[in-house]
């Protein structure tokens, strides 16, 4: 009766950030909201839906916290696709990845 299931939309590229290295971030969320079961789509599936199940107030609180993290990630991450001919990939990557590292640092 006090149970709730909620689907939230989180871009797939942010799933691993929310889960964290060795599951650190997800563990903290689970400690903070012990009654909530959080499930991400299977790795092979192209889905942005994360499902939360548990006690109503905790589900809402966890959803709010995750969406806040997503908002921060969206503000701090910018992505642009630039088509580059395959022949030039080696020039952009550089010897041992040196050029691409330099580009990333800039």
């Amino acid at each position: 009766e006090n149970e709730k299931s909620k689907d939230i939309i989180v871009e797939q590229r942010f799933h691993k950030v929310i889960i964290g290295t060795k599951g650190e971030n997800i563990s903290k969320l689970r400690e903070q909201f012990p009654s909530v079961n959080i499930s991400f789509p299977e790795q092979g599936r192209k889905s942005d839906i994360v499902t939360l199940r548990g006690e109503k107030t905790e589900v809402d609180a966890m959803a709010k916290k995750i969406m806040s993290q997503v908002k921060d990630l969206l503000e701090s991450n910018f992505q642009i696709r630039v088509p580059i001919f395959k022949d030039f990939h080696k020039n952009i990557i550089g010897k041992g990845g040196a050029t691409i590292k330099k580009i990333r640092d800039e």
Side-chain angles (χ1 to χ4, degrees), residues 10-19 40 45-48 70 73-81:
V10 177
E11 279 186 55
Q12 194 173 14
R13 65 186 171 128
F14 296 139
H15 290 185
K16 62 184 170 197
V17 177
I18 289 171
I19 293 168
F40 290 86
R45 289 189 59 218
K46 296 272 184 211
S47 175
D48 294 338
V70 169
L73 287 167
L74 283 168
E75 288 172 2
S76 65
N77 279 288
F78 180 75
Q79 186 176 337
I80 188 166
R81 291 188 179 266

Side-chain angles (χ1 to χ4, degrees), residues 19-104:
I19 293 168
T21 307
K22 296 182 182 173
E24 287 174 5
N25 298 343
I26 200 78
S27 294
K28 287 178 190 168
L29 278 172
R30 286 182 173 140
E31 283 172 25
Q32 209 173 348
F33 306 100
S35 79
V36 181
N37 182 359
I38 181 169
S39 54
F40 290 86
E42 293 169 28
Q43 200 136 26
R45 289 189 59 218
K46 296 272 184 211
S47 175
D48 294 338
I49 297 171
V50 175
T51 305
L52 308 176
R53 267 193 199 86
E55 194 263 316
K56 277 183 188 176
T57 54
E58 284 201 2
V59 165
D60 290 336
M62 184 189 258
K64 190 174 179 182
K65 186 167 182 91
I66 290 172
M67 293 317 289
S68 169
Q69 286 178 322
V70 169
K71 184 177 178 269
D72 292 343
L73 287 167
L74 283 168
E75 288 172 2
S76 65
N77 279 288
F78 180 75
Q79 186 176 337
I80 188 166
R81 291 188 179 266
V82 181
I84 298 170
F85 291 112
K86 201 170 188 131
D87 295 347
F88 298 115
H89 287 190
K90 65 178 183 270
N91 299 61
I92 291 168
I93 296 168
K95 192 170 190 167
T99 310
I100 195 77
K101 285 178 189 165
K102 190 176 169 189
I103 292 169
R104 284 184 184 143

